[in-house]
Amino acid sequence: MNLNADFGEIINKVRDTKPVVHMISNYVTAESVADITLAAGGSPVMADEPEEMEEIVLGADALVLNLGTINYNKMISMERAATVAKDKGIPVVLDPVGVMSSSLRLEFALKLLESGFISIVRGNYSECKAIVNEETKGKGVDTLDKGAEAEGEALKIAQKGANKYGCIFAVTGSVDNISDGKRAVVLNNGHPLLQDITGSGCMTSALIGTCAAVAEDMLVAAACGIVIMGQSAELAANFLEKKDGPGMFKVRLMDSVYHVTTKWNLVHLEPEQKLSES
């Protein structure tokens, strides 16, 4: 794989075709998720009524399922949407928000995975670890196991998850680890301020879904979405003045996604980013 060339091709396709990304999101981050999809060139649809799932998904190019504010009505909608997406052959991205803290969330995520609906999982280390180990162990939706990334555990979880469920696992954090079970991409983009705004993970999943809508290789699609977010965060931080904080950072982040995806030929992978294949 030539990542820089592959990413450029995906970004150009998104801008040229404006793929429709159907997102059953959560009410905390829905607006941010829609905005960042638009900034990247996609066309978001935010629908969660069970009775219209088939019609909505049939008009979409990708589906993103976010468990952030899950309820029984949404679970019905997600299953119906995922079933149609699988029959149609469009990619499905799962954002397993808080699965380490709730049996309901974890069991539903596992049901989707075991049904073969999911193309890409994008979560933090704690979320992905809970899915791989099939156990809840955490408080809140942002629980993290400190030191896991430094010890290489996040990459192991990505590889185990991919092999176990037959889909791409993207474990995001200060270091991002993506695997399909055989290949692995390790990325070092991003900025610490991403941890200080609501929805950075949800927005990353939306970008992954937007890339997956036009990509052939789901591993590359996941990596591309993560790189867009990471490089946009770095650019946004560079725009900030001393008086600015997380609020202005989030505003600049939206602008930066637009700039990164419209001027990709000016953007290059950082030297510390690595690609490994086995």
Side-chain angles (χ1 to χ4, degrees):
M1 289 184 290
N2 181 337
L3 286 182
N4 206 35
D6 290 341
F7 292 166
E9 182 178 354
I10 288 173
I11 290 168
N12 287 336
K13 281 185 179 179
V14 169
R15 284 285 170 194
D16 290 342
T17 65
K18 300 187 183 303
V20 175
V21 186
H22 176 203
M23 291 178 278
I24 304 180
S25 189
N26 73 69
Y27 57 72
V28 177
T29 63
E31 183 177 5
S32 296
V33 162
D35 284 344
I36 208 159
T37 302
L38 286 167
S43 178
V45 173
M46 321 293 282
D48 58 17
E49 169 55 47
E51 295 306 315
E52 65 177 353
M53 283 303 98
E54 181 175 1
E55 187 175 2
I56 295 292
V57 177
L58 287 175
D61 299 297
L63 173 66
V64 180
L65 306 177
N66 184 299
L67 306 189
T69 51
I70 196 68
N71 56 51
Y72 284 108
N73 202 56
K74 279 189 178 181
M75 288 191 285
I76 293 170
S77 295
M78 287 182 180
E79 281 195 74
R80 289 185 182 180
T83 300
V84 177
K86 184 177 181 181
D87 291 342
K88 186 184 177 184
I90 67 171
V92 180
V93 178
L94 174 64
D95 191 330
V97 180
V99 291
M100 67 285 186
S101 302
S102 161
S103 296
L104 176 68
R105 293 168 189 252
L106 179 59
E107 290 168 5
F108 184 63
L110 293 175
K111 182 178 183 180
L112 294 173
L113 284 160
E114 291 165 356
S115 298
F117 291 140
I118 307 304
S119 309
I120 302 169
V121 174
R122 197 294 315 161
N124 63 37
Y125 175 79
S126 298
E127 292 163 345
C128 292
K129 181 181 178 182
I131 289 174
V132 171
N133 294 337
E134 299 185 18
E135 64 179 9
T136 57
K137 190 178 181 181
K139 296 180 180 180
V141 298
D142 296 319
T143 306
L144 293 172
D145 288 5
K146 294 181 179 179
E149 293 168 345
E151 297 171 5
E153 289 300 315
L155 179 56
K156 292 179 183 178
I157 288 294
Q159 292 171 327
K160 287 180 181 178
N163 283 319
K164 186 172 185 177
Y165 297 108
C167 63
I168 306 301
F169 258 65
V171 184
T172 55
S174 58
V175 176
D176 304 306
N177 296 273
I178 311 128
S179 179
D180 62 2
K182 295 181 179 179
R183 299 173 296 166
V185 179
V186 180
L187 302 166
N188 289 291
N189 286 144
H191 192 276
L193 278 172
L194 285 172
Q195 300 175 21
D196 296 331
I197 62 172
T198 300
S200 59
C202 299
M203 289 186 278
T204 303
S205 295
L207 291 173
I208 290 173
T210 304
C211 292
V214 302
E216 296 182 4
D217 188 329
M218 292 298 102
L219 177 72
V220 176
C224 186
I226 292 168
V227 164
I228 292 172
M229 176 58 89
Q231 294 200 339
S232 297
E234 293 175 4
L235 183 60
N238 287 336
F239 284 151
L240 297 180
E241 300 177 12
K242 289 183 179 180
K243 62 182 175 61
D244 295 330
M248 185 56 71
F249 172 74
K250 191 170 184 177
V251 173
R252 297 299 189 194
L253 182 63
M254 293 294 175
D255 291 340
S256 296
V257 168
Y258 173 81
H259 289 306
V260 165
T261 56
T262 54
K263 302 169 185 175
W264 179 254
N265 61 318
L266 302 179
V267 180
H268 302 283
L269 292 173
E270 296 295 328
E272 65 266 29
Q273 292 174 342
K274 302 180 289 187
L275 170 68
S276 63
E277 296 188 52
S278 59

